[in-house]
Amino acid sequence: MQVINTGQGVGGILNGFRALVEDSEKITFVGTPGFCTPFAELIGFVVRNKQLAFIPNLDFESAKTLLMTKQGMQLGDSTDPSADTVVLLGGLAMPKIGVEAEKANELVGRILNGKENGKVIGVCFQSMFSQQKWEEVIAFDYIINADLDIKVMEV
């Protein structure tokens, strides 16, 4: 694994992601409802001109479109989540969620449905995919990993 780009803050995540999916037509995000959904909406904003979908947990049949509305990026109607790019969000790998990497990998195969040039991208914080050894099970093409430095200040 080699670092191909670095950045800071939210802009670093968004710009890095946009560059990775330039040639993608349809992108399906997979994550936990609630925790990962806003991240899919945030990341999806920079590629809002593409076809986007969100799968909660690993429930293929519950996929929804992710679209730009007057209120910002939001989930829409049910959709077929088959895509040429899959984005696994790190919340799935958190131990308390209970998702197995093997099951996530099966879902990746179902979403890509045999596409030869399909991409698998992980987006996580604090090296979650590495910590939980998902990199040993899933053939990620790219992982965007961000570290958080939090300060709570009293003023």
Side-chain angles (χ1 to χ4, degrees):
M1 194 176 331
Q2 73 177 27
V3 175
I4 61 170
N5 192 6
T6 61
Q8 291 185 332
V10 173
I13 295 169
L14 300 181
N15 291 329
F17 180 76
R18 182 178 28 228
L20 293 178
V21 299
E22 280 180 314
D23 59 345
S24 300
E25 292 181 22
K26 185 171 182 184
I27 302 166
T28 294
F29 296 88
V30 184
T32 60
F35 185 75
C36 292
T37 311
F39 288 105
E41 292 169 342
L42 176 66
I43 297 166
F45 179 77
V46 298
V47 291
R48 61 193 174 277
N49 58 324
K50 298 183 183 288
Q51 294 179 59
L52 305 174
F54 180 81
I55 295 177
N57 295 319
L58 303 181
D59 190 357
F60 189 89
E61 286 75 25
S62 292
K64 302 285 186 191
T65 58
L66 186 58
L67 66 151
M68 186 66 187
T69 71
K70 290 180 186 178
Q71 294 77 31
M73 297 298 288
Q74 295 188 346
L75 298 178
D77 295 329
S78 296
T79 191
D80 174 6
S82 298
D84 57 3
T85 299
V86 179
V87 179
L88 296 176
L89 298 168
L92 291 169
M94 294 187 328
K96 66 182 177 181
I97 300 302
V99 172
E100 297 173 12
E102 292 80 8
K103 295 291 185 190
N105 196 40
E106 289 174 16
L107 181 65
V108 166
R110 187 170 179 194
I111 294 167
L112 293 176
N113 196 23
K115 290 183 178 61
E116 290 182 26
N117 297 322
K119 287 183 193 171
V120 181
I121 300 172
V123 178
C124 66
F125 294 94
Q126 310 301 113
S127 303
M128 185 56 61
F129 291 124
S130 179
Q131 285 182 27
Q132 298 305 313
K133 303 193 182 331
W134 278 40
E135 297 168 352
E136 296 174 11
V137 176
I138 298 169
F140 289 102
D141 293 293
Y142 304 98
I143 293 178
I144 297 173
N145 178 58
D147 290 312
L148 299 176
D149 184 18
I150 307 301
K151 296 176 186 171
V152 177
M153 297 179 279
E154 183 176 20
V155 289

